[in-house]
């Protein structure tokens, strides 16, 4: 898929920022939809939008509130823009389903790279996701364990009563659809394709975002969200287990 096939909605109450983003992203081949506030972003959200870039501090509805409303209906990735770099803001963003978080001021190159990385991740279906980590912390490949967990005929991964469909990037539990975000799906897929391997928070971050980790909170929030959606008990989890002081893993 070329950039011309991607449609991005940008929402920011500052016209200058909207114009800069539009010029930048149009120049890279993306189709743009603009919104002046959170409410307008929610109103303009459709299945045709491939990525949302939402400013956090907007009138009508904040970026976080708009993102939460959009996430109820659509699974396209969300990037939050903010002038604040505090950890609590990042936790809030990831808790409502964010896929990335960019602090203002940002460089044009940084934004384009993050947009491309997220669209690449969200658009990939049955592709190798790169390096993973085993219990000792050494880097390995997913191919070691894929043959043991993937139904080659249906391209699915089974975890007890949960099924991951790698082609449609969807999850079902006892036949009922579980609405995970792209990032949540990728984390679950990473653990499921390498059962019994323990991943530290940094290992998961590096595997999913393909860059150095910038704190523990993002992955912890995503794991919490995945468990909640799967109906898992964090104190006695059935699916994603906790190796205290080491990370997370799926046993079988």
């Amino acid at each position: 898929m070329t950039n011309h096939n991607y449609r991005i909605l940008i929402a920011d109450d500052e016209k200058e920022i909207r114009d800069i983003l539009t010029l930048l992203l149009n120049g890279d081949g993306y189709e743009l939809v603009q919104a002046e506030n959170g409410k307008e972003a929610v109103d303009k959200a459709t299945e045709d939008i491939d990525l949302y870039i939402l400013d956090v501090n907007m009138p009508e509805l904040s970026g976080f509130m708009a993102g939460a409303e959009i996430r109820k209906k659509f699974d396209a990735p969300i990037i939050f823009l903010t002038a604040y770099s505090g950890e609590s803001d990042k936790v809030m963003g990831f808790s409502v389903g964010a896929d990335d978080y960019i602090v203002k001021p940002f460089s044009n190159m940084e934004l384009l790279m993050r947009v491309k990385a997220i669209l690449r991740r969200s658009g990939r279906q049955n592709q190798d996701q790169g390096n993973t980590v085993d219990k000792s912390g050494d880097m390995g490949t997913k191919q070691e364990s894929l043959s043991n967990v993937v139904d080659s005929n249906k391209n699915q991964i089974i975890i007890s009563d949960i099924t991951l469909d790698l082609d449609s990037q969807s999850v079902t539990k006892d036949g009922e659809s579980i609405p995970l975000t792209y990032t949540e799906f990728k984390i679950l897929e990473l653990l499921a394709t390498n059962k019994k391997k323990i991943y530290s928070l940094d290992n998961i971050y590096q595997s999913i975002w393909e860059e150095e980790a910038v704190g523990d909170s993002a992955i912890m929030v995503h794991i919490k969200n995945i468990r909640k959606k799967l109906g898992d008990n964090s104190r006695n989890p059935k699916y994603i287990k906790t190796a205290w002081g080491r990370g997370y893993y799926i046993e079988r």
Side-chain angles (χ1 to χ4, degrees):
M1 179 180 285
T2 65
N3 290 353
H4 295 282
N5 297 117
Y6 286 115
R7 198 175 194 198
I8 300 175
L9 186 150
I10 57 173
D12 198 302
D13 59 316
E14 295 185 42
K15 185 178 184 299
E16 182 180 0
I17 297 295
R18 294 198 308 274
D19 289 345
I20 290 173
L21 290 175
T22 297
L23 183 64
L24 178 64
L25 293 167
N26 271 158
D28 216 41
Y30 299 104
E31 181 181 347
L32 270 294
V33 176
Q34 287 195 22
E36 296 182 7
N37 54 60
K39 184 178 184 301
E40 187 176 354
V42 173
D43 291 340
K44 289 186 174 181
T46 67
E47 286 285 358
D48 295 332
I49 302 297
D50 297 295
L51 172 66
Y52 295 88
I53 301 178
L54 308 177
D55 182 49
V56 169
N57 188 21
M58 291 189 292
E60 301 290 338
L61 284 179
S62 70
F64 291 150
M65 294 177 68
E69 289 300 312
I70 290 170
R71 186 58 77 218
K72 290 177 182 178
K73 296 181 179 180
F74 307 108
D75 293 328
I78 296 174
I79 296 176
F80 282 118
L81 300 179
T82 181
Y84 305 101
S85 59
E87 195 72 10
S88 61
D89 285 341
K90 292 184 179 181
V91 172
M92 175 65 75
F94 287 120
S95 69
V96 299
D99 292 271
D100 207 345
Y101 198 99
I102 300 178
V103 178
K104 298 177 181 178
F106 50 82
S107 71
N108 293 349
M109 184 59 66
E110 177 192 9
L111 185 132
L112 287 177
M113 288 178 63
R114 288 179 179 269
V115 166
K116 289 178 180 178
I118 286 181
L119 288 173
R120 183 177 69 249
R121 290 199 304 266
S122 65
R124 287 186 297 185
Q125 294 183 350
N126 185 28
Q127 296 184 18
D128 178 26
Q129 300 301 306
N131 293 329
T132 60
V133 182
D134 60 21
K135 289 184 179 181
S136 65
D138 296 330
M139 302 303 288
T141 65
K142 281 190 175 183
Q143 298 303 318
E144 298 173 9
S145 56
L146 276 174
S147 60
N148 296 325
V149 297
V150 178
D151 184 327
S152 59
N153 294 323
K154 298 181 179 179
N155 205 25
Q156 296 177 340
I157 304 174
I158 309 298
I159 311 169
S160 183
D161 54 352
I162 291 175
T163 300
L164 280 73
D165 189 304
L166 302 185
D167 288 332
S168 63
Q169 293 192 339
S170 61
V171 178
T172 57
K173 180 179 179 182
D174 290 329
E176 181 179 349
S177 178
I178 305 295
L180 299 185
T181 68
Y182 286 114
T183 300
E184 291 165 357
F185 181 88
K186 290 304 181 185
I187 292 173
L188 187 60
E189 179 190 6
L190 177 69
L191 299 177
T193 53
N194 295 276
K195 293 179 180 178
K196 297 185 179 181
K197 289 188 177 183
I198 298 174
Y199 290 80
S200 71
L201 296 171
D202 284 355
N203 296 153
I204 296 174
Y205 192 102
Q206 291 164 5
S207 295
I208 302 301
W209 273 271
E210 300 176 358
E211 61 183 37
E212 290 298 313
V214 292
D216 296 342
S217 299
I219 298 302
M220 292 177 69
V221 172
H222 282 306
I223 294 291
K224 179 181 178 181
N225 289 343
I226 295 169
R227 282 173 167 168
K228 182 178 180 180
K229 291 180 180 181
L230 296 180
D232 214 355
N233 184 339
S234 59
R235 294 188 177 182
N236 185 27
K238 177 180 179 181
Y239 309 110
I240 300 178
K241 307 283 187 177
T242 301
W244 295 107
R246 300 174 67 187
Y248 299 96
Y249 67 100
I250 288 177
E251 191 169 32
R252 57 185 175 81

